[in-house]
Amino acid sequence: MSKDNSDNSTEVVLNFKDVCFAYEQREVLHNINLQIRARDMVAVVGPNGGGKSTLLKLALGIIRPVRGEVELFGRPVNKQQVKRTGYVPQSLSYDAAFPVSVMDVVLMGRTERHRWGMYDKEDRRAACEALETVELLKLADRSFNQLSGGEKQRIMIAQALSSQPEIIFLDEPTANVDSVVEGKIYDFLAKLNERITIVVVSHNLNVVTQYASHVVCINHVMEYMDVPHLADDENRAVSHKNMLVLKHTDSCPTIDPDEKMHTSHLGKLSGRK
């Protein structure tokens, strides 16, 4: 599963520069320096409330940092940059009684590219390709409400893919599925990663380390740690190189501003890259 060393594969697509964020008076992220490169598959793990979803929201421009800067494709995050991304939220709120087909749901991912009038042939072609990627094209005309939990999750990934993104963010994409479906979802995410950068938030370190090229552990603020210091048997799947850990401490650690974090620091995993 090695990747080539072309110039495109080393392009920095997401860059956090000294980023801090707080909800009211509670600081959630402190002094984050992080680079993610083209066609990396980065798993973001950590405890609930540690700042994982906040990291994604900052990357997508949904919220703004209190201090520092977030760059997407080499520029500060803006609407044009965000159009080049896909996003799969942790949960989906919808009226179960509303009659909507699988194709209708996937086409919603084309909204930003096609705001006015009916969806055209290009929109439908992109939607069909996305459904093919998640191996559910045969369900295009099925009612979305009739699908299983795992199928619904794959359809939401297809919705994100229909916009033909260069990077896709997934927030706990397997939170409500069983282990068999979870494995299938990560299998096709790995295939997708051959052409698209993937950032996935997960609670299951044991699973994501089988697929991810890099891992970020997050719990409020950043600190270097060796993998063996993470007292969790699930971490044995990780190599002994450093991984980037964002860990809560009573006093914020001093980070060398010249040592910018990028994915070569994140702890490459056995069997990848």
Side-chain angles (χ1 to χ4, degrees), residues 211-224:
Y211 296 88
S213 60
H214 303 90
V215 173
V216 174
C217 285
I218 181 169
N219 189 7
H220 301 296
V221 298
M222 184 167 66
E223 178 181 304
Y224 268 129

Side-chain angles (χ1 to χ4, degrees), residues 112-130:
E112 285 297 321
R113 293 172 181 254
H114 195 89
R115 286 178 176 274
W116 311 110
M118 301 293 290
Y119 292 112
D120 58 23
K121 289 183 178 179
E122 176 61 23
D123 295 318
R124 294 187 179 279
R125 183 192 64 78
C128 286
E129 285 184 358

